[in-house]
Amino acid sequence: GNEAGTAWIANLVFSLRAVGIEHFLVIVMDDEHCAELMKPPWRISCAWSSWDFGKSRESGRGCRRPGELRRLWYSRHHYMSRVIGELNLNVAVVDGDISVQRDFYPLLKAPPLREHNLIYTLDHQHTCGDLNVGFAYCQNCASGGRAQWAIDEGLRREGYFCAGEPGEFDGANARFWARSDGAGVTAGPHRWVEWTTARDQKLYSDVVGGSCCGAPQ
């Protein structure tokens, strides 16, 4: 969550508790916000993270813009992958703007979902090319396995966009487009778009959709 989403976070936490789910961790982006959440009326325990694609706040490569909102979105996938890779636990990621009306675990553990490892919700269409990554669940996912690969590949692409200079994407010689232009899949002119709504969802839709076809794109 971020400061603007404090009420959303509180609503999510209280809705989880109402359906009997207590094993969760709230992660925010700075110590100050975490401290505010622990005050009345919220009294919500949380953790904060300065993670920014391996960059410290003082130096290193990370998002080009320090105020990049998408860093918050990307951190979900970073910690989801770490839980799978380091702890080998089943893990759900739930966005702060979700309100939980019933315990979702019985649905995830019953047919047909129990047969699947990486589960996402859909956005506007019933196609795997239109994911909404506000809810994701990984069950029985092997460390270093295919499901973790999909999460990490999406994260790698997020990092590329977050840290990339416009020159990576603009103009006839943009490196990002070199291979697909060369294969005739895309054609310029290309230009950098400062803000694309739910870019993380579009990236993961590409990764998961390509993986479903046996040819990750």
Side-chain angles (χ1 to χ4, degrees):
N2 55 32
E3 287 82 349
T6 294
W8 284 353
I9 294 171
N11 179 68
L12 171 61
V13 168
F14 299 151
S15 71
L16 286 169
R17 290 175 177 168
V19 299
I21 298 175
E22 290 280 357
H23 52 291
F24 54 79
L25 173 64
V26 175
I27 300 178
V28 296
M29 296 299 287
D30 58 60
D31 190 20
E32 292 78 11
H33 189 200
C34 199
E36 288 300 316
L37 280 170
M38 290 189 286
K39 294 178 180 178
W42 317 114
R43 297 189 181 278
I44 295 172
S45 298
C46 62
W48 70 276
S49 172
S50 61
W51 176 84
D52 186 4
F53 291 100
K55 162 192 167 178
S56 69
R57 288 185 171 181
E58 292 75 27
S59 63
R61 181 178 174 85
C63 281
R64 253 178 100 237
R65 298 163 186 81
E68 175 62 80
L69 171 63
R70 287 170 291 208
R71 292 183 306 130
L72 171 63
W73 304 347
Y74 303 158
S75 68
R76 302 171 301 183
H77 309 132
H78 168 71
Y79 288 109
M80 186 177 196
S81 179
R82 285 193 61 182
V83 169
I84 295 166
E86 298 175 23
L87 302 176
N88 202 28
L89 295 175
N90 296 343
V91 57
V93 171
V94 185
D95 266 8
D97 59 351
I98 290 177
S99 180
V100 178
Q101 301 300 304
R102 59 183 291 191
D103 185 352
F104 45 76
Y105 285 109
L107 297 174
L108 297 169
K109 300 303 181 181
L113 295 181
R114 72 181 182 191
E115 308 301 327
H116 298 276
N117 299 112
L118 184 56
I119 300 166
Y120 287 106
T121 48
L122 297 175
D123 209 9
H124 302 295
Q125 304 177 58
H126 292 172
T127 67
C128 65
D130 195 22
L131 297 185
N132 184 314
V133 297
F135 179 91
Y137 184 60
C138 210
Q139 58 185 348
N140 304 317
C141 295
S143 175
R146 295 178 182 180
Q148 189 180 13
W149 176 89
I151 296 166
D152 289 345
E153 175 61 15
L155 190 62
R156 183 190 70 81
R157 298 185 191 192
E158 290 172 331
Y160 187 88
F161 276 103
C162 209
E165 295 290 333
E168 290 277 337
F169 310 97
D170 284 342
N173 299 316
R175 290 185 291 275
F176 180 82
W177 299 102
R179 289 182 61 186
S180 57
D181 279 0
V185 176
T186 56
H190 304 293
R191 65 184 181 86
W192 170 256
V193 178
E194 178 68 23
W195 173 260
T196 299
T197 302
R199 175 172 278 154
D200 57 333
Q201 297 186 167
K202 294 175 174 61
L203 292 174
Y204 273 94
S205 292
D206 283 345
V207 172
V208 174
S211 298
C212 289
C213 298
Q217 301 293 316

